[in-house]
Amino acid sequence: MAADIGDHVRFWWAPNASTERLLCKVDKHDRSLAIYRPDIYETITRKISSLSRELRALSLDIHSHPELMFQEKYAHDVLTSFMEKHGWEVEKHYHLDTAWAATFSHGNGGRVIGINSEMDALPGVGHACGHNLIAIAGVAIALAVKAALIEHDIPGQIILLGTPAEEGGQGKVILLEKGAYKGMDACLMRVNAPCLCHPAPGPEHSASLSSSLALQRISVEYRGHSAHAALSPWQGKNALDAAVAAYTNVSLLRQQVKPSHRIHGVFEGKDWAANIIPDNAKMLWYVRAPTVAEVKEVDPRVRACFQASGLATGCSVEVFGMEPPVHELRQNKALAETFARVFISKSGPVDYEWGISSASTDFGNITYALPSIHPGFSIPTEPNGGNHTPAFTSAAATLEAHQACLEICKALALTGIRVIEDDEFYAEVKYLSPTDALRAELAHNR
């Protein structure tokens, strides 16, 4: 469903659309814009077009075999087999059981670009975040850059990482700590930078260069004492009541935090029954904000809600943060401007608010560590069918989503080539890369 907003771009349906949000900054499609090395772009376009049918089959194969975080064994095998078939040096089970790396080098020397392919699905709804598309995007970009290096005799190296567990497991953070991104000049996803791209609702046929929210996961466990719920409830300490009270406390807190912040959680329990006072309850909470610093400000207020309900019910409470926090995205300005110019010239508009601006990704930590880019791309969905819904699972398998995915791959591939070939541009990329202070902050949070 598209919404026509007059002089502004047309929008596919997106959640919580408002006039203010629809009228966000959008750089419109402009075919008159000159781009870097149009001859190389033509090489990239030919290669991706020639691979479209294979990539579509690979995407649908992964989509029909959804696997949860750290369990992406089928995706690991089909993706590594695909890259081996195309002549890449592949290292399976790279640092993690379901991670992998595919490497290609041409000539002597040259810079190194990193590319990411996500693979994991979500419980109950499968590929409702479109990771089947992200998986083939990494493959398409890598193969297109390879073709350009060979045809135009440009020395350089490509590293394509298969990165598991984006949905809750922080797979890229683990890989970063284990050295998987060492030696990259930049990352395209996330090239000497990494790259990644991500599907979401948004302006029709568009890309997005938004940021994302930082995230801290918090686990809470209450322990009480069981009793007969009718015969002698006074003998019990109700852990479920503690969890319900904590949920209510957080709901009250939400009124006093900024609209840009997000706090949300779920209950878990073991052996619960209606006629037994529950002696256990667990909760998993996410605290999100536009920056890690803001997450750290809200975090103790959320934890106080958990402690208070333990005191009120007489239950013991254990609260702890899970893993280091996920950082917000920091799009490298030089990479983003080159990508935007190519996309606007060849494919469609670019906006700066849609994409995954109100979600989170473990790629945010990569953007703190080395120059990176993570654009979003819009795909058509039905009303109330955004990311993490069954409707988005269906949308991620459509031909329109596949075509949108390949369009963004072309612009990312040319951005990667420019990192490898253009010395002045790479100097600018490095100048605009994370500072030593940001690197120190990342290291402190590990």
Side-chain angles (χ1 to χ4, degrees):
M1 178 182 295
D4 192 346
I5 49 176
D7 292 336
H8 298 270
V9 298
R10 285 171 58 83
F11 277 69
W12 275 318
W13 178 86
N16 302 319
S18 68
T19 302
E20 292 75 22
R21 191 103 188 268
L22 288 175
L23 302 184
C24 69
K25 180 183 177 184
V26 178
D27 293 336
K28 292 187 179 180
H29 191 193
D30 182 357
R31 292 189 180 276
S32 67
L33 280 180
I35 65 169
Y36 177 78
R37 294 295 302 267
D39 57 330
I40 294 180
Y41 183 82
E42 289 304 313
T43 300
I44 288 167
T45 297
R46 285 198 311 272
K47 185 61 178 179
I48 290 178
S49 296
S50 72
L51 291 167
S52 179
R53 183 169 296 182
E54 282 185 80
L55 292 169
R56 173 80 170 144
L58 180 61
S59 172
L60 293 178
D61 192 15
I62 294 169
H63 188 276
S64 63
H65 295 86
E67 297 165 304
L68 304 185
M69 59 180 181
F70 298 119
Q71 301 298 317
E72 309 93 335
K73 296 178 181 180
Y74 186 88
H76 171 281
D77 291 348
V78 297
L79 285 161
T80 54
S81 295
F82 191 95
M83 297 308 293
E84 286 175 334
K85 183 180 73 172
H86 284 271
W88 288 61
E89 181 181 334
V90 174
E91 185 172 350
K92 300 178 180 180
H93 315 297
Y94 184 62
H95 293 300
L96 295 168
D97 185 50
T98 54
W100 51 274
T103 306
F104 172 81
S105 299
H106 179 72
N108 297 317
R111 282 182 278 273
V112 183
I113 68 165
I115 305 165
N116 291 254
S117 285
E118 292 177 359
M119 306 169 289
D120 59 323
L122 289 154
V125 288
H127 279 288
C129 211
H131 290 193
N132 59 302
L133 297 171
I134 300 175
I136 67 157
V139 171
I141 295 164
L143 293 177
V145 173
K146 174 186 174 182
L149 295 182
I150 294 171
E151 183 168 331
H152 300 274
D153 196 22
I154 302 168
Q157 185 180 55
I158 312 159
I159 301 174
L160 173 61
L161 294 179
T163 57
E166 192 275 339
E167 298 289 356
Q170 299 192 19
K172 294 181 200 66
V173 178
I174 298 171
L175 289 172
L176 177 65
E177 292 175 342
K178 290 179 178 290
Y181 291 88
K182 188 176 182 181
M184 293 183 188
D185 294 305
C187 195
L188 308 171
M189 164 172 181
R190 292 303 194 199
V191 204
N192 281 324
C195 88
L196 175 69
C197 56
H198 202 297
E204 190 175 8
H205 303 299
S206 73
S208 177
L209 286 168
S210 67
S211 182
S212 67
L213 298 182
L215 163 67
Q216 176 66 65
R217 296 178 177 88
I218 303 176
S219 177
V220 187
E221 185 168 355
Y222 293 102
R223 294 185 180 88
H225 183 74
S226 61
H228 194 294
L231 183 64
S232 51
W234 55 86
Q235 294 178 357
K237 295 180 180 179
N238 196 318
L240 178 57
D241 278 353
V244 170
Y247 196 97
T248 302
N249 291 343
V250 172
S251 295
L252 296 172
L253 174 63
R254 286 195 190 102
Q255 301 176 58
Q256 315 305 141
V257 300
K258 295 178 180 178
S260 58
H261 294 24
R262 301 287 186 271
I263 311 169
H264 45 98
V266 294
F267 295 91
E268 296 178 8
K270 182 180 179 182
D271 299 327
W272 286 352
N275 64 341
I276 302 173
I277 299 293
D279 64 358
N280 70 90
K282 292 183 179 180
M283 308 180 82
L284 176 61
W285 286 88
Y286 285 11
V287 179
R288 306 185 201 239
T291 65
V292 168
E294 290 175 272
V295 167
K296 290 179 178 178
E297 290 178 0
V298 176
D299 183 275
R301 298 172 67 189
V302 175
R303 292 174 189 243
C305 293
F306 305 146
Q307 296 290 351
S309 64
L311 288 171
T313 57
C315 294
S316 65
V317 55
E318 183 178 3
V319 182
F320 56 93
M322 301 173 63
E323 309 120 0
V326 169
H327 286 55
E328 71 276 12
L329 282 174
R330 292 177 177 266
Q331 310 273 17
N332 181 273
K333 184 178 179 181
L335 293 173
E337 287 179 349
T338 290
F339 164 82
R341 190 175 189 87
V342 177
F343 194 87
I344 291 166
S345 173
K346 298 295 184 180
S347 302
V350 171
D351 78 87
Y352 298 86
E353 286 191 31
W354 292 83
I356 59 169
S357 59
S358 294
S360 307
T361 173
D362 58 0
F363 191 67
N365 294 50
I366 308 304
T367 66
Y368 270 68
L370 69 162
S372 308
I373 182 173
H374 183 317
F377 63 97
S378 63
I379 65 174
T381 64
E382 64 182 58
N384 300 315
N387 296 63
H388 292 207
T389 68
F392 201 84
T393 306
S394 299
T398 61
L399 181 59
E400 292 84 357
H402 175 72
Q403 292 168 337
C405 178
L406 297 192
E407 282 302 308
I408 203 166
C409 291
K410 297 170 187 176
L412 280 170
L414 187 62
T415 304
I417 285 290
R418 188 172 187 185
V419 170
I420 293 175
E421 186 190 44
D422 187 337
D423 294 339
E424 290 186 7
F425 175 67
Y426 180 57
E428 184 182 3
V429 168
K430 286 200 300 182
Y431 177 74
L432 295 169
S433 67
T435 64
D436 290 340
L438 291 178
R439 294 177 192 274
E441 182 182 343
L442 178 61
H444 175 74
N445 286 317
R446 288 179 188 165

